[in-house]
Amino acid sequence: RKEVEQDPGPFNVPEGATVAFNCTYSNSASQSFFWYRQDCRKEPKLLMSVYSSGNEDGRFTAQLNRASQYISLLIRDSKLSDSATYLCVVNSGSNYKLTFGKGTLLTVNP
Amino acid sequence: EAGVTQFPSHSVIEKGQTVTLRCDPISGHDNLYWYRRVMGKEIKFLLHFVKESKQDESGMPNNRFLAERTGGTYSTLKVQPAELEDSGVYFCASSQVARRGEQYFGPGTRLTVT
């Protein structure tokens, strides 16, 4: 079983749509959780950290369920510029090495 | 503030040759990480430095890979001799001591071994 599993995608949505990404992780000792965004042939960039209480940043909402070992990302009112690969990322150890999911490609269409 | 930089951006070498990748972290970031993404797979951790010390090299594939960070500034990752399966994108990342979970990635080096 992979340490971090994501929806395989790809997702194709129209502008203005709401889209949700799901992710599960296998290591119950995981401590920190993130969503990164990666544009084509670019480096991953931190989108947001994910907290147990859930957190929101503009059109983006992240949720964490530790009991189910489940993480989600909701994007409301999708923009063309949201088109990218979304990476679910978990840190499980004290040295903060990151474990990545394979990513889910999102394409927002006009 | 300058971000993480990596050199070269692309490298094409033949099997059996040696390649050295370089990473310059964000100034003041003591933590430096190397990751790799091979085609069709997820990004995977290779190793972690705190200043000049290797904290975790559990992700290094084998002894053909050697990473150094002399003086605790830039880091190099040498592959010798390169094999076909070493092809991929090698990312370097850095983070501040206090916020190690949030890492800043460089643009990567795309390595092709033919």
Side-chain angles (χ1 to χ4, degrees), chain A residues 18-32:
Chain A
T18 295
V19 60
F21 301 116
N22 301 312
C23 170
T24 57
Y25 60 95
S26 61
N27 185 346
S28 59
S30 298
Q31 299 170 0
S32 307

Side-chain angles (χ1 to χ4, degrees), chain A residues 2 34 36 38 41-44 46 49 51 87 94-98 100-102, chain B residues 33 35 37 40-43 45 48 56 58 91 100-103 105-107 110:
Chain A
K2 287 192 179 296
F34 309 92
Y36 275 70
Q38 186 174 24
R41 291 187 169 257
K42 299 287 188 181
E43 70 272 21
L46 179 66
S49 301
Y51 304 114
L87 301 163
S94 59
N95 66 357
Y96 285 86
K97 76 179 186 184
L98 300 179
F100 286 78
K102 214 169 169 183
Chain B
Y33 309 81
Y35 293 86
R37 184 170 201 161
K41 302 284 189 181
E42 63 274 18
I43 296 170
F45 168 83
H48 169 215
D56 181 353
S58 61
F91 291 106
R100 284 181 288 184
E102 298 178 5
Q103 298 179 13
F105 282 74
R110 185 171 297 274

Side-chain angles (χ1 to χ4, degrees), chain B residues 9-81:
Chain B
S9 57
H10 293 81
S11 180
V12 181
I13 61 172
E14 292 182 354
K15 176 181 171 180
Q17 289 185 321
T18 298
V19 63
T20 301
L21 314 181
R22 173 171 170 143
C23 168
D24 286 80
I26 292 172
S27 178
H29 283 193
D30 288 340
N31 291 275
L32 187 150
Y33 309 81
W34 284 97
Y35 293 86
R36 175 174 76 169
R37 184 170 201 161
V38 297
M39 191 179 296
K41 302 284 189 181
E42 63 274 18
I43 296 170
K44 286 202 168 176
F45 168 83
L46 296 178
L47 87 160
H48 169 215
F49 285 98
V50 176
K51 297 185 180 178
E52 66 274 10
S53 300
K54 289 178 189 173
Q55 289 294 110
D56 181 353
E57 49 185 333
S58 61
M60 295 286 262
N62 49 61
N63 59 9
R64 295 185 293 103
F65 289 74
L66 175 64
E68 295 180 321
R69 193 184 181 195
T70 307
T73 54
Y74 71 91
S75 175
T76 58
L77 179 65
K78 180 190 287 189
V79 185
Q80 178 183 31

